[in-house]
Amino acid sequence: MSRFLSAFLVLTTCCELSAQRVDNSDLEPAKPVAVAIKGTPKLDGKIDEVWKTAPVVEVNQAASGIVQIDEEEMATAKVQFLWDDANVYVLWHVKDSLLSAVEENDPWATDSVEFFLDQNNKASMFYQDDDAQYRVNFKGGLSGQGEGFDESHLKAATSEVDGGYLVEMAVKVTKIKMEAGVKMGIELQVNDDHGSDSRDAAAKWNHTEDDSWEDTSNFGTLELK
Ligand code: BGC
């Protein structure tokens, strides 16, 4: 066999192998879908009528490498979504048996919830100007980061309830037109200071690695109905 022919055969085999690898990626697990229904709540930390029929998702998967306590004890949340022409609204019903927020700590080390949003659903491996992380602690303190983060786009009200707290968030959507059928990328996280004055646990909705603050490629989907 000539040297040219064997080089050609090696090249073709390599191409076939990499083509197979691309095909295999179709077998990756489908992204979970959460549904937001149309409605505008009063942002007061109380559950008004408009939330009653919004579907619920569970944020209860231990984030890998973070949980230092018994997973049974970890703070978790039930979350619902609404949308209107300007905002997406997120209602968090957090189960957390011990509430604490040490002000001088990193904001993610105190009892808080995080909403990660990829408005154009491009699922990029880095944050673009439509991607942001929005955080609210149980006392209503706001923080966040990411290329698309603007604190003036985040409003929230909180209240303490039996066994935990409620967070009602409004996040202004500025990079896409809000209409039925739109799909955005999202992830959800609950941070838990379980008495150590630092973060003892974090629960997530979909992707259990602690990288949602810098990589949107593993977000699930929020569909506007
Ligand atoms: C992560 C932290 C990260 C922070 C950045 C949190 O969601 O859990 O590990 O440093 O975001 O804002």
Side-chain angles (χ1 to χ4, degrees):
M1 206 186 306
S2 80
R3 227 184 274 163
F4 284 127
L5 184 58
S6 39
F8 175 74
L9 285 175
V10 168
L11 206 69
T12 337
T13 319
C14 287
C15 290
E16 272 166 19
L17 283 176
S18 59
Q20 274 172 14
R21 245 178 256 135
V22 170
D23 285 352
N24 284 349
S25 71
D26 291 348
L27 301 176
E28 280 169 15
K31 295 188 167 195
V33 179
V35 169
I37 58 169
K38 197 156 191 204
T40 305
K42 190 167 165 217
L43 218 65
D44 56 4
K46 292 188 197 123
I47 308 177
D48 24 285
E49 217 36 50
V50 66
W51 285 111
K52 294 278 158 67
T53 53
V56 178
V57 302
E58 303 271 351
V59 182
N60 58 10
Q61 298 201 57
S64 66
I66 295 185
V67 181
Q68 313 285 334
I69 52 174
D70 186 344
E71 278 183 33
E72 297 287 303
E73 302 281 303
M74 166 179 88
T76 55
K78 292 186 191 302
V79 178
Q80 293 166 283
F81 303 92
L82 295 172
W83 68 279
D84 62 20
D85 295 346
N87 298 299
V88 56
Y89 303 93
V90 194
L91 175 66
W92 303 71
H93 196 145
V94 183
K95 187 170 136 258
D96 186 335
S97 53
L98 195 139
L99 299 184
S100 46
V102 180
E103 259 167 41
E104 52 278 10
N105 276 356
D106 290 327
W108 58 87
T110 65
D111 289 331
S112 55
V113 299
E114 294 181 2
F115 178 50
F116 304 87
L117 179 62
D118 169 11
Q119 296 186 26
N120 66 16
N121 205 15
K122 284 256 171 71
S124 50
M125 292 178 75
F126 48 89
Y127 270 49
Q128 299 178 312
D129 67 359
D130 64 300
D131 304 322
Q133 173 187 21
Y134 302 92
R135 186 186 302 104
V136 181
N137 72 27
F138 80 97
K139 289 181 166 167
L142 309 179
S143 55
Q145 66 173 57
E147 283 292 293
F149 181 71
D150 179 337
E151 197 169 305
S152 71
H153 292 166
L154 172 64
K155 302 265 177 297
T158 58
S159 60
E160 289 182 33
V161 294
D162 259 5
Y165 61 102
L166 293 182
V167 178
E168 205 172 15
M169 277 181 175
V171 173
K172 195 164 177 192
V173 175
T174 55
K175 301 287 182 192
I176 57 159
K177 185 172 178 330
M178 296 291 273
E179 56 194 3
V182 160
K183 290 184 179 140
M184 301 192 276
I186 60 157
E187 180 57 84
L188 306 160
Q189 179 171 319
V190 178
N191 297 312
D192 187 8
D193 168 0
H194 201 68
S196 69
D197 286 350
S198 62
R199 184 164 64 179
D200 301 306
K204 297 191 71 178
W205 172 49
N206 171 44
H207 176 62
T208 53
E209 296 300 316
D210 182 30
D211 59 6
S212 302
W213 58 279
E214 57 177 356
D215 177 350
T216 75
S217 63
N218 292 300
F219 286 11
T221 305
L222 179 68
E223 189 174 346
L224 310 186
K225 279 268 159 75

